[in-house]
Amino acid sequence: MAIKLHYHPLSTFSRRVRIALAEKQISHELVVVDMPARRHREEPYLSLNPYGRVPTLEEDGFVLYESTAILNYLEAARPSPPLAPADARGRALVDMHMKLCDLQLSRHAGTIMFPKRFLPKEKWNQAAMAEAKGEIEKHLAILDKQLAGKTYLVGEQFSLAEVCYIPFLDFLPLMEIAPPGAVAAWSTRLLARQSAQATRPEK
């Protein structure tokens, strides 16, 4: 049975998984969850994912519903082509960057992106958005030093770390964040990949 991915086309976390599936050329079925109609908060979806979020992956009765767990599963179950180094230290570095992406970028980006994409301006929390922007800029300054003279974050290999970042790098202009030099060049390379282009949301 092929992999079934329950997702929404505007979901950044769903996009991560779609990018990995494309990079690994894994056959799969896409199932859109109608989030505007609140189907993610109803049965039968809640029986799959009790948190009512996307994405959710199904394969032969096996269910996963957190994006980084899904990415790690795909890498373990279908290691070729690889999206992580074979050695323990390289893999640990990829795992570290995946976690830092969520802690230092994703959660702050959501504070800015969700209102800008889906809410009228009068409902924006400008103070929270400004604070989030500052935290993201601090993180990108750290990344800039780590990327200096490098093509990718770990071992000069496109990895799951990059997969995690791509959906959020696409929204730096929306967040009115100008990335520093090495991050900007890295972002341009990543967003030009076929997998990134094919999964890019309409807004």
Side-chain angles (χ1 to χ4, degrees):
M1 176 179 160
I3 284 174
K4 185 182 291 186
L5 183 70
H6 301 262
Y7 84 113
H8 190 276
L10 300 183
S11 162
T12 47
F13 294 101
S14 293
R15 188 181 176 197
R16 289 176 166 180
V17 178
R18 294 178 63 208
I19 289 169
L21 290 167
E23 291 282 345
K24 287 182 167 290
Q25 301 177 30
I26 298 172
S27 175
H28 60 282
E29 176 188 351
L30 291 174
V31 180
V32 176
V33 179
D34 190 349
M35 298 182 81
R38 309 288 292 172
R39 295 291 183 256
H40 59 305
R41 298 294 187 183
E42 302 173 357
E43 294 294 351
Y45 189 69
L46 283 177
S47 292
L48 279 178
N49 185 335
Y51 295 95
R53 296 193 286 259
V54 290
T56 299
L57 179 144
E58 282 188 276
E59 186 178 28
D60 299 325
F62 178 64
V63 179
L64 279 176
Y65 42 75
E66 278 300 308
S67 64
T68 52
I70 294 171
L71 293 177
N72 286 327
Y73 169 69
L74 293 175
E75 183 64 20
R78 294 165 174 82
S80 182
L83 290 177
D87 66 292
R89 291 185 178 183
R91 183 55 209 253
L93 285 171
V94 168
D95 288 343
M96 177 186 75
H97 284 295
M98 292 170 71
K99 186 69 173 178
L100 286 170
C101 177
D102 281 349
L103 289 173
Q104 306 300 140
L105 176 60
S106 302
R107 72 186 178 98
H108 297 301
T111 301
I112 305 171
M113 287 166 51
F114 183 83
K116 284 201 168 190
R117 292 171 85 192
F118 305 117
L119 297 179
K121 194 167 185 178
E122 59 269 19
K123 292 191 176 181
W124 296 3
N125 184 333
Q126 299 278 6
M129 291 167 74
E131 182 179 357
K133 181 179 178 182
E135 291 298 320
I136 292 170
E137 288 171 340
K138 287 180 192 176
H139 176 59
L140 295 184
I142 293 170
L143 271 187
D144 196 59
K145 293 178 182 178
Q146 296 172 334
L147 281 165
K150 297 169 63 178
T151 306
Y152 300 112
L153 280 168
V154 180
E156 289 303 285
Q157 173 189 354
F158 178 84
S159 74
L160 292 176
E162 275 79 24
V163 170
C164 284
Y165 273 97
I166 286 173
F168 298 94
L169 294 174
D170 225 346
F171 285 103
L172 290 180
L174 177 71
M175 294 188 281
E176 300 179 65
I177 293 173
V183 173
W186 176 65
S187 178
T188 298
R189 285 193 296 274
L190 299 187
L191 295 176
R193 293 181 77 90
Q194 185 176 355
S195 60
Q197 292 287 319
T199 57
R200 197 168 193 271
E202 293 180 0
K203 67 174 183 176

